[in-house]
Amino acid sequence: MSSYNHKEIEAKWRKYWEDSQAHKVELDPNKPKFYCLDMFPYPSGSGLHVGHWRGYVLSDVWSRYKKLQGYNVLHPMGWDAFGLPAENDAIKKGIHPSVSTANNIANFKRQLHEIGAMYDWSREVDTTDPNYYKWTQWIFLQMYKRGLAYRKEMPINFCPSCQTGLANEEVVQGECERCGTPVEKKNLKQWMLRITKYADRLLEGLKKLDWPEKVIKMQESWIGRSEGAEVVFAVDGTEYQITVFTTRPDTLFGATYMVLAPEHELVEKITTEEQSEAVAEYVKQAMTKSSVERMASKEKTGVFTGAYGVNPVNGSKIPIWVSDYVLIDYGSGAIMAVPAHDERDYEFAQKFDLPIIPVIADLDGQVPELPFVMDGKLTNSDKYDGMTSEEAKKAITEELERRGQGKASVQYKMRDWVFSRQRYWGEPIPIIHCPDCGEVPVPEDQLPVRLPDVDNYQPTGTGESPLAAIEEWVNTTCPSCGGQAKRETNTMPQWAGSCWYFLRYADPDNNDALADPEQLKYWLPVDLYVGGVEHAVLHLLYSRFYIKFLYDIGVVDFDEPFTRLFNQGMITKDGAKMSKSKGNVVNPDELVEHYGADSLRIYELFIGPPEVDSEWMDNGIEGVYRFIQRVWNLVDRSLKNPAEPTQESEKRRHKLIATVTERIESFKLNTAVSAFMEYINASGSTLDRKSMDTLVILLAPMAPHLAEELWQKLGNESSVFLARWPEADPAMLVADQVTVAIQVNGKTRGTVDVAADASEDDVKAAAEEITAVKNALDGKQVVKTIYVPGKIMNLVAK
RNA sequence: GCCGGGGUGGCGGAAUAGGUAGACGCUACGGACUUAAAAUCCGUUGGGCGUUAAGCCCGUGCGGGUUCGAUUCCCGCCCCCGGCACCA
């Protein structure tokens, strides 16, 4: 018997795939396409661990499965290679980021080859390649031309460790998403992208996506749409007006004071002389607090400005306060406070002894315990008394609108995207600053604006990038007037390159466009996108925004990039995420060496439900390795002495087809593996020819090397992936013999094996022969019999 | 605090239009083969009672409920994980 030698077999087929260019795909109008994409990795110095493998195996199983179903499958891979680690490494070791990036890519590529995935490497994409980032810059210019990219000076989140500004999406609980350092507010002139203009469409588009509910919820809450009204309050005795946003215009009669954010421009203007010292002091303190400190203390603080606002509906004068519980960058940075019906306002009013007037009662007209934050019926609200909240919101907003003192309004939590970084290793922003012409976009025929070499990568921390020090690069001529001008020295964030890379795979070498429209039309959008959940509101939101923009300018003909999304779970070791620093990294290289890639592939699937985190067990792969050997030995044995197919073996074969297909389709890949194991356990010592063929094809997506080898042993000359995925005959899936569980008063007492069409009486007769059933029925009368054909019979006895 | 997801043997996990709880694998134990070991193969493996066997009791985080029957549905709790967090 020839024994299973994974090293020889896997090397042989990997070479075959390469030599025959088996994984190279081309546009083929006669074939349906399937675009299966992995989130491309950042090529770090530490290489891949078994956790990375999980998603890559999953997507490859699907790619190969779809290929066997006759699809033209695009399954590419590339590198998200701009980013801070390479740059920080350069600072430490003086190695140019392009050099370390190239080294890391080579190592990653070697490791990815081990997986045996059907990547089409001819389509490899690298975000740091000038031929690629030329188009990243091009997209930026298109946005700039349409007013979606703009420069603004404002306080932004700044990471003192990374020495760069951050997008709101990159701040997690007041800390830098990347390094965990508490972020500071820093006033910087920043490039921004007007993603808020797309807020409604980004929200709307979520509805048609086949994505995990969790990710959709996260994006929805990130966008944070609220409907309400703007209400204009006059400041008593002045010409100033304060506009507030509220989702509860129905509570307007209960507004007993107002609050301005400390940064609000009117604070200084309306504060009375007596209060000016206290207000100035409070504002100063609030401004110096870091966002972490501001979040940490929930204790309400604030100061009275001395000014009063006039409630537009009843003319009542209410005090205007300053407090940092009102945020400058949401709504208008000012609120009307309704302490009776808002928890925060209630707390503030209690602390500063401000009046609390209930204006919403429950539906029985009772005023419940305050603060009562639900909808109800209006009270103490003049002519609106008795209306429901819903009716009153509408009516009051309409009245305000008639009188020019307000209007319906929608607000979003999402802010515009802070897009510039004060670092070296990123795409230069293609803008030139001219003393006469101002901001001038670099003409498209001069793209890419290449990243120059620098001697010193050290970030300046001043809001300028290391590029600012390279005079021969910074100093240039104005494309508009030809005079002396300077280049923009900020670079783009890492997300810029990953927002559109999946388009480039369709046509990676194009020099005239980011990709040929025909290619885009054929391959895009992505049918299945596999990656970790950590990008739920970063990459996945930004990409959707980019695609909607590219749709608007006619570059693509679809407006959602990823039709279906699958988030694979993490693989943990000793209960924790694998990381170099914890020393709990499981290296796939050694496992491949010892057990082979197919064993590791199947174990990655078998370890648990693919969407759930799973704990790595070193022994687990042993069982899978044994399984593969059993398959090998079974086929080997059967070839020498094939079995004759029987009714039973045919049923088993069809059931395997049905089960495996269904479990791949529903991503229950752990149970798809166990279906194979059960099949092998039930099959006896040899298989018939047809069963061997079926088994090998079904196994091919999971264990491609093994399947190719067995397929060849079965006498086939071409690759198993040119075979067709079998279909189960529904008629063969019906069992003719069934096991019926027998219960007495709901307790299972035994089982009977009967023909599938056995009558209830037959089953009952057989059931009453069981000793345990006799015992349980002893001295009792069967008063009712419940029979679910083929499943259970329950005898209810008294 | 709010919004998700989840608690099943020694372990990873199966099974939910309500119908034999623990598939499959790991571990452990016993056996076969071997001079021996490894590998392989066969058996046992939720807990308890029962010398064996037949059989009986308990058991899917906790407490109730609906039902002939609940891991699955409903109500009330506890714990763990993830997201958001003064967003008016």
Side-chain angles (χ1 to χ4, degrees):
Chain A
M1 183 165 88
S2 65
S3 71
Y4 168 68
N5 180 334
H6 67 260
K7 276 189 206 169
E8 214 168 89
I9 292 168
E10 292 182 355
K12 170 182 164 184
W13 289 102
R14 239 170 265 165
K15 183 166 185 318
Y16 170 83
W17 294 330
E18 245 167 75
D19 292 350
S20 64
Q21 299 200 319
H23 302 147
K24 198 165 157 57
V25 288
E26 294 297 342
L27 188 157
D28 181 350
N30 299 315
K31 265 186 168 177
K33 67 92 183 182
F34 189 83
Y35 188 173
C36 183
L37 181 67
D38 292 295
M39 289 185 184
F40 68 162
Y42 173 78
S44 75
S46 26
L48 295 177
H49 58 62
V50 294
H52 298 111
W53 266 60
R54 196 178 195 186
Y56 299 146
V57 170
L58 185 75
S59 62
D60 195 53
V61 167
W62 258 80
S63 297
R64 292 180 179 275
Y65 165 66
K66 282 290 172 186
K67 180 163 181 170
L68 281 163
Q69 286 188 327
Y71 285 86
N72 194 17
V73 177
L74 175 58
H75 188 40
M77 186 44 85
W79 317 106
D80 187 16
F82 274 128
L84 280 182
E87 185 172 348
N88 290 338
D89 235 40
I91 294 165
K92 248 189 270 169
K93 300 176 193 159
I95 307 165
H96 194 287
S98 65
V99 174
S100 60
T101 299
N103 287 339
N104 290 347
I105 286 177
N107 185 44
F108 257 66
K109 211 168 171 178
R110 177 189 64 75
Q111 286 194 301
L112 284 170
H113 270 112
E114 298 281 286
I115 296 175
M118 52 178 284
Y119 295 128
D120 179 357
W121 284 107
S122 73
R123 292 172 183 265
E124 182 177 350
V125 148
D126 172 357
T127 55
T128 64
D129 179 346
N131 291 324
Y132 178 88
Y133 69 69
K134 170 181 176 178
W135 297 104
T136 310
Q137 292 173 335
W138 181 84
I139 296 170
F140 178 88
L141 286 182
Q142 307 314 306
M143 289 192 174
Y144 180 79
K145 284 176 189 164
R146 287 161 183 82
L148 289 171
Y150 63 98
R151 218 150 67 112
K152 188 181 175 190
E153 177 160 330
M154 58 179 267
I156 59 147
N157 297 304
F158 188 87
C159 173
S161 167
C162 297
Q163 300 259 301
T164 186
L166 300 173
N168 291 322
E169 289 80 4
E170 293 172 302
V171 180
V172 179
Q173 294 178 1
E175 294 176 348
C176 172
E177 176 244 2
R178 176 171 295 284
C179 68
T181 309
V183 301
E184 296 167 354
K185 288 278 175 192
K186 196 158 183 163
N187 223 20
L188 285 178
K189 197 156 189 185
Q190 293 293 312
W191 283 97
M192 310 282 291
L193 295 187
R194 226 178 275 285
I195 191 171
T196 51
K197 197 181 163 195
Y198 284 77
D200 256 331
R201 285 167 65 192
L202 287 168
L203 198 58
E204 200 56 28
L206 290 170
K207 287 182 188 158
K208 63 180 180 190
L209 297 177
D210 184 3
W211 281 21
E213 198 55 34
K214 176 186 171 142
V215 176
I216 291 182
K217 281 266 158 58
M218 282 168 75
Q219 291 213 357
E220 275 173 359
S221 64
W222 186 262
I223 295 166
R225 184 182 200 274
S226 318
E227 279 182 33
E230 279 172 23
V231 186
V232 180
F233 287 70
V235 179
D236 191 39
T238 74
E239 298 186 339
Y240 297 119
Q241 291 188 325
I242 296 172
T243 302
V244 303
F245 172 72
T246 177
T247 55
R248 295 296 302 273
D250 55 318
T251 63
L252 187 48
F253 286 83
T256 54
Y257 65 102
M258 300 180 75
V259 186
L260 300 180
E263 301 89 342
H264 198 282
E265 55 169 9
L266 285 181
V267 170
E268 221 180 311
K269 294 173 179 159
I270 63 169
T271 300
T272 58
E273 234 179 278
E274 307 86 79
Q275 292 299 101
S276 67
E277 203 175 314
V279 168
E281 176 60 21
Y282 181 80
V283 169
K284 198 177 133 199
Q285 272 192 11
M287 305 284 244
T288 54
K289 268 197 218 170
S290 76
S291 58
V292 184
E293 287 170 321
R294 218 162 135 164
M295 277 191 296
S297 74
K298 299 257 168 167
E299 182 74 7
K300 296 277 180 292
T301 56
V303 177
F304 178 42
T305 61
Y308 290 84
V310 182
N311 190 328
V313 284
N314 60 8
S316 74
K317 289 179 190 166
I318 56 178
I320 303 170
W321 285 62
V322 179
S323 171
D324 66 2
Y325 86 90
V326 172
L327 308 175
I328 187 62
D329 51 3
Y330 183 77
S332 59
I335 61 158
M336 66 177 208
V338 185
H341 306 292
D342 180 283
E343 281 168 16
R344 298 149 301 180
D345 297 345
Y346 183 82
E347 202 189 314
F348 191 86
Q350 290 268 301
K351 178 155 178 188
F352 294 102
D353 209 16
L354 292 155
I356 298 170
I357 304 172
V359 291
I360 305 290
D362 63 24
L363 294 176
D364 304 326
Q366 301 296 308
V367 175
E369 196 190 338
L370 299 180
F372 175 64
V373 299
M374 319 269 273
D375 279 5
K377 265 194 175 146
L378 271 73
T379 181
N380 292 330
S381 298
D382 200 9
K383 62 184 169 188
Y384 298 101
D385 280 2
M387 274 192 191
T388 63
S389 288
E390 201 186 333
E391 293 161 348
K393 280 176 191 172
K394 217 174 148 221
I396 293 177
T397 305
E398 277 166 9
E399 183 185 332
L400 288 168
E401 195 146 8
R402 264 198 312 278
R403 293 167 28 186
Q405 288 176 304
K407 60 178 183 191
S409 169
V410 176
Q411 293 290 325
Y412 300 91
K413 266 170 70 176
M414 185 171 68
R415 312 288 145 79
D416 275 348
W417 177 7
V418 176
F419 195 68
S420 36
R421 299 292 177 272
Q422 295 74 49
R423 298 290 302 225
Y424 169 71
W425 193 229
E427 301 87 349
I429 290 174
I431 295 285
I432 289 166
H433 300 285
C434 171
D436 296 323
C437 313
E439 282 166 11
V440 182
V442 172
E444 285 177 26
D445 60 10
Q446 288 175 27
L447 294 182
V449 176
R450 285 174 184 265
L451 199 52
D453 288 336
V454 293
D455 297 327
N456 186 8
Y457 307 99
Q458 197 71 42
T460 60
T462 60
E464 282 197 299
S465 87
L467 293 176
I470 309 171
E471 291 195 10
E472 64 273 25
W473 184 82
V474 171
N475 292 314
T476 185
T477 52
C478 171
S480 174
C481 70
Q484 285 281 310
K486 285 186 185 297
R487 288 190 189 280
E488 169 65 51
T489 59
N490 278 337
T491 53
M492 299 188 196
Q494 194 175 357
W495 314 109
S498 60
C499 275
W500 71 279
Y501 74 105
F502 42 89
L503 303 179
R504 189 67 175 173
Y505 284 135
D507 189 17
D509 301 315
N510 200 314
N511 277 321
D512 308 315
L514 57 80
D516 176 69
E518 279 309 300
Q519 298 283 349
L520 287 174
K521 204 178 164 76
Y522 178 73
W523 290 114
L524 274 291
V526 173
D527 296 286
L528 176 64
Y529 197 22
V530 178
V533 74
E534 65 272 17
H535 292 117
V537 286
L538 289 155
H539 163 61
L540 289 171
L541 186 67
Y542 295 149
S543 292
R544 295 183 57 227
F545 162 55
Y546 262 51
I547 292 308
K548 288 190 188 302
F549 170 71
L550 292 173
Y551 172 81
D552 288 351
I553 64 169
V555 172
V556 298
D557 65 350
F558 55 91
D559 69 348
E560 284 292 343
F562 315 120
T563 308
R564 185 172 191 182
L565 174 70
F566 188 87
N567 293 127
Q568 84 275 11
M570 210 167 46
I571 291 186
T572 57
K573 183 76 206 295
D574 310 322
K577 184 180 177 160
M578 288 184 195
S579 78
K580 229 178 172 178
S581 57
K582 285 194 206 92
N584 63 346
V585 171
V586 180
N587 185 333
D589 297 7
E590 295 150 26
L591 295 164
V592 169
E593 169 77 15
H594 198 97
Y595 300 102
D598 285 338
S599 292
L600 182 50
R601 286 171 65 106
I602 295 182
Y603 183 57
E604 294 271 347
L605 301 169
F606 190 56
I607 191 167
E611 71 282 6
V612 172
D613 292 352
S614 294
E615 171 73 8
W616 181 267
M617 293 196 305
D618 290 323
N619 290 324
I621 194 169
E622 297 267 2
V624 167
Y625 185 61
R626 273 175 224 156
F627 160 73
I628 286 185
Q629 297 206 54
R630 285 215 295 277
V631 171
W632 175 271
N633 293 337
L634 178 62
V635 174
D636 196 62
R637 223 170 19 239
S638 305
L639 270 171
K640 286 172 188 140
N641 185 18
E644 283 300 314
T646 62
Q647 173 78 2
E648 200 194 351
S649 74
E650 274 299 277
K651 286 205 159 194
R652 197 155 52 223
R653 187 173 74 85
H654 279 274
K655 184 156 181 251
L656 182 68
I657 298 169
T659 308
V660 170
T661 307
E662 180 198 309
R663 292 181 181 178
I664 291 179
E665 284 290 339
S666 57
F667 287 90
K668 292 181 178 169
L669 293 158
N670 53 330
T671 60
V673 175
S674 49
F676 282 114
M677 291 172 167
E678 282 175 83
Y679 178 77
I680 297 291
N681 291 346
S683 286
S685 63
T686 51
L687 296 176
D688 61 275
R689 174 67 206 212
K690 223 172 174 179
S691 295
M692 285 190 269
D693 288 348
T694 301
L695 176 64
V696 170
I697 297 171
L698 293 180
L699 212 42
M702 298 184 181
H705 312 84
L706 173 74
E708 290 276 33
E709 182 68 18
L710 291 177
W711 192 242
Q712 194 179 57
K713 279 165 71 97
L714 284 166
N716 299 288
E717 301 203 339
S718 59
S719 163
V720 66
F721 293 98
L722 299 175
R724 278 295 160 267
W725 192 256
E727 279 182 39
D729 176 0
M732 295 297 284
L733 300 176
V734 206
D736 37 28
Q737 195 76 13
V738 291
T739 304
V740 177
I742 308 301
Q743 303 181 333
V744 177
N745 290 334
K747 272 198 178 128
T748 304
R749 297 294 170 176
T751 60
V752 294
D753 289 324
V754 294
D757 56 359
S759 71
E760 182 171 337
D761 289 343
D762 290 346
V763 176
K764 197 167 182 177
E768 282 166 347
E769 292 304 308
I770 300 170
T771 315
V773 174
K774 283 183 191 157
N775 289 352
L777 290 177
D778 190 36
K780 289 179 180 163
Q781 277 291 318
V782 175
V783 294
K784 194 173 172 189
T785 303
I786 287 137
Y787 180 52
V788 182
K791 296 226 162 155
I792 63 118
M793 172 170 279
N794 189 7
L795 304 171
V796 184
K798 271 186 185 166

